[in-house]
Amino acid sequence: MKGTARRVQERNGQDAQDPYWNKIQPKDRSFCKKCHAIYHNKHWFFDEEQLKALEENSSSQAVLCPACQKIEDHFASGLVQLSGAFLRGHREEILNLVKNEETRAKGMNPLERIIEIANNREGILVTTTHEKLAQRIGKSLYRAFQGKVDYRWSRGEKMARVSWCRDEA
């Protein structure tokens, strides 16, 4: 891969190892039919004005962006396990922080999203489309609520497993 293309992918938080990044090759100025992100110069971003113009242009291509495809397929690149007694007493506060972190991340890279927030035996499992979002969520939880956070990165594939726990209520 050429150096310039690799830098663009890295800036957009993507890597050639991510099968969803290379799954589609949309035309320049395409847009996601689900989340309305725009693809231009090998970069995804949100812009409502440009989206309106693209929707009116019959030559624009409506596609499914890599993040929406991952969400549809439940293909997680990040797992954040939340647990502990503190979680039970502050559930809404913690989930608001998680959702706010997704909103911040989406502003920088629309391909960083939460796939699902689900209850499990340990507490709550948050699955994300991007490993960096999982890492950001872990850091934000620790900054806001302390506790213990652990990061594990898979070798050879883009996957992060983050565990956050605070036992004192």
Side-chain angles (χ1 to χ4, degrees), residues 1-52:
M1 177 182 298
K2 291 182 180 177
T4 305
R6 183 159 188 78
R7 282 193 298 278
V8 168
Q9 284 184 338
E10 288 169 355
R11 183 181 70 227
N12 208 12
Q14 295 302 314
D15 190 320
Q17 294 175 341
D18 186 339
Y20 285 82
W21 179 252
N22 294 318
K23 199 172 203 177
I24 62 163
Q25 292 297 322
K27 294 188 319 186
D28 196 45
R29 300 236 180 245
S30 295
F31 63 94
C32 179
K33 55 189 166 192
K34 223 172 190 182
C35 72
H36 302 125
I38 298 169
Y39 182 75
H40 178 56
N41 289 334
K42 299 182 180 178
H43 182 73
W44 290 94
F45 62 95
F46 292 114
D47 186 315
E48 288 185 36
E49 287 181 28
Q50 284 190 40
L51 176 65
K52 288 177 187 173

Side-chain angles (χ1 to χ4, degrees), residues 74-94:
H74 293 293
F75 185 90
S77 291
L79 303 171
V80 184
Q81 180 63 59
L82 312 175
S83 61
F86 186 81
L87 174 63
R88 289 186 286 279
H90 299 84
R91 179 183 173 88
E92 288 306 310
E93 241 181 299
I94 291 168

